[in-house]
Amino acid sequence: MRLAERLPRPLVIFFTVIGPGFITAMVDNDAGGIYTYSQAGALFGYMLLWTLPPIALLLVVTQEMNARMGAVTGKGLSDLIREEFGLRTTFALMTLLVVANLTNVMANFAGVASALELFRVSRYVSVPIAAVAVWFLVVKGTYHSVEKIFLFACVTYIAYIIAAVLINPDWEASALASVRPVVRWDPVYLTMLVGLVGTSVAPWMQFYLQAAVVEKGVTVKEYAESRIEVIVGCIVMVVVAFFIIVACAAAIWQKGPREIASASEAAEALRPFGEYAYLLFCAGLLNASLFAASILPLSTAYSVCEGLGFESGVNKRFREAPVFYWLYTGLIVIGGAVVLIPGFPLVRMILLSQVVNGVLLPLVLVFMLRLVNNANLMHEWRNPRFYNVVAWVAVFVLIAMTVVLVGSSVRGMFVSATSVASSQ
Amino acid sequence: MADTLLFLTELIGMRVFDLKGRRIGRVRDAGLLPRVDKVRIDQFLVGGEWNWWSVRHDQVGTISLDGISLRDEQLVPYHDDVWMLRMARDLLDQQIIDAKGRKVVRVNDVTFDLKRVNGHDELHVLEVDVGMRSIFRRLCQGVVPPRAVRRMMSGIAPNSIRWEFCNIIEPDPQRRLRLKIDMKALESIHPADLADIVEELSHEGREAVFESLDSEVAAETLSEVDDTKTQAAILESLDADRAADIVEEMSPDEAADVLAEMEEASSEAILGEMEAAEKTDVEELLEFDENSAGGLMNSEFIAVPDTGTVADAIRVIRENEEQVDSLTNVFLVDGAGRLSAALPVGRLFLVDPTALLKPLAGEDEVVAVPVTERRKRVEELVDKYNLMSLPVVDEAGVLVGVVTADDVISMLRQD
């Protein structure tokens, strides 16, 4: 309250509008997001822009379902899954979630490493410092004050919008590409597709958003305002994604399509800013990575502990909530340590982590759909038919893509094995 | 020890044999009838091929890890019984309140005591299992044979809550009645701890708890809930008359804070159901801006005429015994009700009952604030003069309320 009296009015409004939906959407653009969108633009130009409207739709639908479930039941997603589907199912899902989230934590520390490597800071310095800083920030309870700083720093995404405009891309081509679906059957393209969905609609976000809505104490009465805030957040996120892809398409793909292998190549997209390009990119990436690295391990630990019935909470002593603290610390330590392995392909792993998200997503969606359509649970707030259609179509498409992806990778390995054999 | 205990995870799926030793099905669930017996499993629900049978506890012969053998085959098809608490459906994986540990836990498993009564085996509910051991057991259920699981588990420490300390959270009031869920055990928990518990529950759970608790306990607990928004949400979920019962038991300043946070329609409805005296007290406080001394103050205080004696003061205190636990000062007022002095209550013990109050209060000018005073200034004064309670007066100097130190602490913590 005191802070509000000191800030200028526009900022006050900005902070009051911020709610769980908006925050989730901003954190969604973590290191994985930035690199995946950049890669999509650099490698395929405008070709993948058509995925954004369907992704936006899916994002809005899933986020809204989570916010609704949180407001109506007052329980988190893992609590609901535990109560409706039992311990074994919850345990299996939590294991998969921890694995997927661990890869995302890795991706974010990799983001920190690659951002600071732009300025010749060794990853062996940046990552441990970041890990320790994040750990203390959250455990000492000062996270909330810093959250405002993170959110405010998200304003750096505007740099992409400005860069995209300054580069003068082919607006007509990008507009056309946004509505013309292109499907290529090669593994690289499909991987990119799954990664794009995975980074926009990450499973960990579903758990985080519902828990944030519950913690905020949103009830059915206030839900209508929350819903608007959720939708606004999703739209903002997709708009930023659009401009990242366009900026990279114009700056990199135009010159010759290639994979992004390092932060310096990704920063090319901000070239119109001249010598500030690298600085802006580093700032944006660093902010996004630290923001996500603060939220992700914590959210995972909370989800798992709630689902399995362990004590949780940063306000508890280590002795009182051992599983929670071990899990939280473990995610940060392992996430950071893996990144420090010599020769670790930073960008490749970041992209892979988003593909893992995309593979796990259909499973989480299925659970969510079963829950949100349960009349006992949701009373008159069950899903309208439109939502169910969108979500189920997404589930099937994602599963199909994953199967094809795995199939073609296996076939690739098989083919190369037989060709090696036959050449003997 | 191992042979007199049985776990729910072992019971579910256990084979059931008839008099000739033929298998007739597997146990699907077990039911307790709280109105008949609080711990004895009354019925076993056995899944046949197409339907479930209900096996009464006295129809069971023996129970062991190898299966249940019946001694009476007259079985009745199972019909859903609203008076029955089913172990797997209603208890497993649900949240319950641990009255002894003062927290909310999730049920992983249930431990039964296997007793031989009147020539047949019976199961009595002993404890509810939470924690690692029960998780491990649940995960291995059906995959690893029960005896092997028991051997493996012996290394992990058990973590259980005795059945008598378990409080089931049931949103439906009718069913609460039928299952004899009364939450009496919760009333012995300190309101602050109970508020912590309530904060961990879902909307339905909170409603269930506040509907069942004694009004006074409910009021104390509600005032200890951290966030006024949550307090308001809880009250809004209750019926207006039940909410009014609770609000009446709260101190007027806290009641005013919560009602101010609610929507007009809801707070009007609750005020409408309240008794006249309490209602006026709260309405007076609602008039004040929440950030002024008037909005912070409590209109309950002990005021004694400044011409009185210690005996008079003690008499007034006895007439207002509900304020005793938080009493720090007795205020002296003149004939018109204007504040003249503040007397720390401890001083009453130093002299005879016949002693006059005025000299006891001393010469220091009493520190007081007008109802319109800003919150920050109130905080400063409480700190500067080391006050436990700061009197509040109106334009005429008449004592109208008191701001207590604990309210100031709560406000400072929220900043």
Side-chain angles (χ1 to χ4, degrees):
Chain A
M1 271 297 114
R2 234 181 264 148
L3 190 64
E5 288 158 33
R6 289 202 302 240
L7 288 177
R9 189 134 178 81
L11 275 181
V12 173
I13 298 179
F14 175 65
F15 285 130
T16 35
V17 151
I18 305 301
F22 195 81
I23 297 178
T24 311
M26 287 298 104
V27 187
D28 195 16
N29 259 334
D30 59 354
I34 294 181
Y35 273 114
T36 306
Y37 299 130
S38 299
Q39 178 86 309
L43 207 47
F44 294 102
Y46 305 110
M47 216 184 299
L48 279 165
L49 283 176
W50 65 271
T51 57
L52 288 183
I55 283 179
L57 186 60
L58 180 61
L59 187 60
V60 167
V61 163
T62 33
Q63 300 268 61
E64 198 276 338
M65 283 200 290
N66 280 115
R68 191 169 6 119
M69 278 198 278
V72 171
T73 64
K75 297 183 192 169
L77 188 54
S78 39
D79 274 335
L80 285 177
I81 292 178
R82 173 73 190 268
E83 281 174 13
E84 299 300 316
F85 300 111
L87 180 65
R88 270 218 272 239
T89 315
T90 310
F91 186 80
L93 186 61
M94 289 295 115
T95 313
L96 292 174
L97 189 69
V98 167
V99 170
N101 289 0
L102 184 59
T103 62
N104 275 267
V105 174
M106 273 190 241
N108 282 298
F109 280 121
V112 171
S114 73
L116 288 174
E117 270 175 1
L118 273 178
F119 293 99
R120 313 263 183 67
V121 177
S122 157
R123 65 177 71 168
Y124 295 98
V125 171
S126 57
V127 173
I129 293 181
V132 169
V134 162
W135 194 89
F136 269 108
L137 195 68
V138 171
V139 169
K140 292 303 166 196
T142 40
Y143 171 70
H144 282 289
S145 26
V146 186
E147 188 185 58
K148 304 262 189 296
I149 301 180
F150 279 140
L151 276 174
F152 192 62
C154 284
V155 101
T156 47
Y157 289 135
I158 295 183
Y160 269 108
I161 302 180
I162 300 177
V165 169
L166 288 177
I167 271 184
N168 203 8
D170 189 347
W171 289 113
E172 201 190 309
S174 63
L176 265 175
S178 306
V179 292
R180 189 158 45 113
V182 173
V183 181
R184 300 209 320 216
W185 295 104
D186 70 85
V188 181
Y189 192 79
L190 288 174
T191 314
M192 201 75 247
L193 270 180
V194 177
L196 273 174
V197 178
T199 194
S200 315
V201 195
W204 69 263
M205 274 170 46
Q206 315 315 324
F207 287 88
Y208 172 71
L209 176 61
Q210 192 159 336
V213 166
V214 168
E215 199 188 305
K216 197 175 171 206
V218 177
T219 55
V220 172
K221 290 212 183 76
E222 299 133 4
Y223 174 62
E225 288 125 39
S226 266
R227 184 189 264 168
I228 296 177
E229 186 241 340
V230 165
I231 296 178
V232 165
C234 295
I235 294 180
V236 169
M237 200 223 89
V238 173
V239 164
V240 172
F242 176 84
F243 281 105
I244 296 180
I245 297 181
V246 165
C248 286
I252 305 172
W253 180 77
Q254 211 92 97
K255 306 262 144 64
R258 60 163 197 276
E259 255 184 66
I260 293 183
S262 70
S264 52
E265 293 182 29
E268 279 293 302
L270 295 178
R271 215 176 343 99
F273 285 96
E275 66 259 29
Y276 293 117
Y278 287 103
L279 195 59
L280 267 173
F281 182 78
C282 172
L285 181 57
L286 196 58
N287 178 60
S289 305
L290 286 175
F291 198 2
S294 315
I295 290 189
L296 193 44
L298 191 64
S299 165
T300 312
Y302 270 121
S303 303
V304 171
C305 287
E306 273 168 18
L308 298 181
F310 295 116
E311 283 296 319
S312 58
V314 285
N315 53 333
K316 300 229 162 60
R317 299 251 90 84
F318 187 95
R319 250 184 324 268
E320 293 168 348
V323 177
F324 173 76
Y325 276 107
W326 273 120
L327 191 51
Y328 172 68
T329 310
L331 281 168
I332 291 186
V333 167
I334 298 177
V338 170
V339 170
L340 293 177
I341 294 175
F344 188 77
L346 291 177
V347 180
R348 183 99 60 83
M349 289 315 286
I350 293 179
L351 296 172
L352 197 60
S353 67
Q354 305 308 302
V355 176
V356 171
N357 280 345
V359 170
L360 181 57
L361 181 63
L363 186 61
V364 175
L365 274 180
V366 168
F367 280 117
M368 275 172 53
L369 283 167
R370 295 275 298 276
L371 288 170
V372 87
N373 282 306
N374 183 333
N376 281 336
L377 216 48
M378 301 290 288
H379 311 297
E380 70 263 30
W381 291 86
R382 289 201 322 276
N383 254 2
R385 173 163 307 183
F386 173 66
Y387 277 69
N388 284 335
V389 168
V390 170
W392 279 112
V393 164
V395 166
F396 285 120
V397 168
L398 276 171
I399 294 181
M401 285 201 297
T402 309
V403 167
V404 172
L405 187 58
V406 169
S408 59
S409 318
V410 167
R411 190 159 66 99
M413 290 193 303
F414 185 63
V415 163
S416 57
T418 49
S419 66
V420 164
S422 62
S423 67
Q424 296 295 20
Chain B
M1 184 202 93
D3 283 319
T4 58
L5 291 182
L6 190 70
F7 301 108
L8 184 61
T9 37
E10 292 170 340
L11 180 65
I12 305 289
M14 202 182 254
R15 285 170 291 198
V16 179
F17 303 103
D18 65 8
L19 293 173
K20 290 211 171 60
R22 289 176 305 209
R23 213 177 85 182
I24 57 170
R26 287 187 183 269
V27 178
R28 299 291 180 213
D29 207 344
L32 199 65
L33 286 176
R35 289 207 153 254
V36 171
D37 187 315
K38 293 202 91 141
V39 292
R40 185 190 61 203
I41 293 292
D42 203 270
Q43 290 175 29
F44 296 89
L45 307 183
V46 177
E49 285 202 344
W50 301 108
N51 60 334
W52 287 15
W53 300 99
S54 172
V55 174
R56 278 196 330 270
H57 64 97
D58 53 341
Q59 292 178 310
V60 166
T62 59
I63 304 177
S64 77
L65 280 178
D66 300 313
I68 295 182
S69 291
L70 300 181
R71 64 172 188 171
D72 174 356
E73 291 178 333
Q74 311 262 23
L75 301 182
V76 169
Y78 167 65
H79 299 292
D80 194 13
D81 188 347
V82 291
W83 301 85
M84 183 160 66
L85 180 71
R86 274 173 51 178
M87 297 283 112
R89 182 190 66 180
D90 301 328
L91 200 52
L92 212 53
D93 291 326
Q94 304 304 319
Q95 276 187 318
I96 59 167
I97 300 177
D98 170 8
K100 186 144 178 269
R102 287 161 292 149
K103 53 189 177 185
V104 177
V105 294
R106 205 174 273 285
V107 177
N108 290 335
D109 203 350
V110 181
T111 308
F112 299 109
D113 201 4
L114 183 55
K115 285 178 147 71
R116 190 139 192 97
V117 174
N118 293 337
H120 64 267
D121 280 344
E122 277 187 355
L123 290 182
H124 291 225
V125 181
L126 197 60
E127 353 179 88
V128 149
D129 298 325
V130 302
M132 278 295 199
R133 197 190 232 204
S134 41
I135 289 184
F136 190 60
R137 201 187 306 132
R138 280 285 288 289
L139 291 175
C140 296
Q141 168 198 6
V143 173
V144 177
R147 289 193 172 82
V149 176
R150 285 198 182 198
R151 263 199 305 276
M152 289 196 286
M153 261 171 21
S154 51
I156 317 173
N159 189 348
S160 321
I161 301 160
R162 296 196 66 88
W163 185 232
E164 54 262 27
F165 297 123
C166 294
N167 289 275
I168 298 164
I169 303 163
E170 169 57 63
D172 181 1
Q174 282 244 313
R175 197 141 145 79
R176 275 205 298 270
L177 219 59
R178 291 178 176 143
L179 296 180
K180 267 184 99 177
I181 296 172
D182 55 17
M183 308 256 171
K184 285 266 176 303
L186 297 183
E187 286 164 12
S188 58
I189 301 178
H190 191 285
D193 291 326
L194 195 48
D196 282 343
I197 288 177
V198 157
E199 276 162 11
E200 279 190 61
L201 297 177
S202 66
H203 301 322
E204 283 184 333
R206 289 175 190 165
E207 198 184 319
V209 168
F210 275 93
E211 276 174 9
S212 323
L213 283 179
D214 166 78
S215 300
E216 231 185 278
V217 177
E220 282 176 29
T221 310
L222 192 64
S223 15
E224 296 288 346
V225 168
D226 263 339
D227 186 13
T228 346
K229 255 191 72 196
T230 319
Q231 291 176 335
I234 292 174
L235 279 183
E236 274 171 2
S237 69
L238 302 170
D239 287 334
D241 50 346
R242 171 74 188 145
D245 285 339
I246 296 178
V247 170
E248 279 167 7
E249 298 289 336
M250 289 170 78
S251 66
D253 59 333
E254 284 163 348
D257 286 339
V258 183
L259 289 175
E261 188 70 40
M262 291 167 71
E263 280 175 12
E264 279 261 3
S266 321
S267 54
E268 291 295 318
I270 294 178
L271 281 168
E273 295 285 336
M274 284 171 71
E275 304 270 323
E278 282 88 350
K279 177 174 167 182
T280 354
D281 283 341
V282 173
E283 279 178 333
E284 278 172 4
L285 289 178
L286 277 172
E287 304 261 315
F288 297 113
D289 181 329
E290 59 179 5
N291 277 328
S292 68
L296 298 168
M297 74 184 185
N298 191 343
S299 47
E300 289 177 341
F301 49 83
I302 304 280
V304 189
D306 55 9
T307 48
T309 62
V310 167
D312 296 327
I314 293 178
R315 187 176 36 85
V316 175
I317 294 175
R318 285 187 184 151
E319 284 164 8
N320 292 286
E321 60 173 274
E322 71 277 358
Q323 292 183 43
V324 153
D325 284 345
S326 50
L327 188 63
T328 50
N329 284 299
V330 167
F331 297 103
L332 303 185
V333 293
D334 67 8
R338 286 190 295 255
L339 178 66
S340 60
L343 175 61
V345 79
R347 291 195 194 168
L348 294 175
F349 292 99
L350 298 178
V351 292
D352 287 333
T354 51
L356 284 174
L357 291 172
K358 197 87 202 283
L360 202 53
E363 293 297 319
D364 295 334
E365 201 183 312
V366 61
V367 180
V369 289
V371 281
T372 46
E373 187 61 84
R374 293 273 102 211
R375 193 184 74 163
K376 274 194 79 57
R377 181 92 180 110
V378 167
E379 288 169 7
E380 279 169 21
L381 288 173
V382 165
D383 188 16
K384 179 175 174 187
Y385 293 104
N386 307 318
L387 301 171
M388 293 303 287
S389 46
L390 174 64
V392 182
V393 295
D394 66 8
E395 312 86 58
V398 173
L399 179 62
V400 287
V402 158
V403 177
T404 50
D406 62 301
D407 286 334
V408 172
I409 293 175
S410 302
M411 279 186 311
L412 288 173
R413 282 198 66 224
Q414 275 164 24
D415 279 342

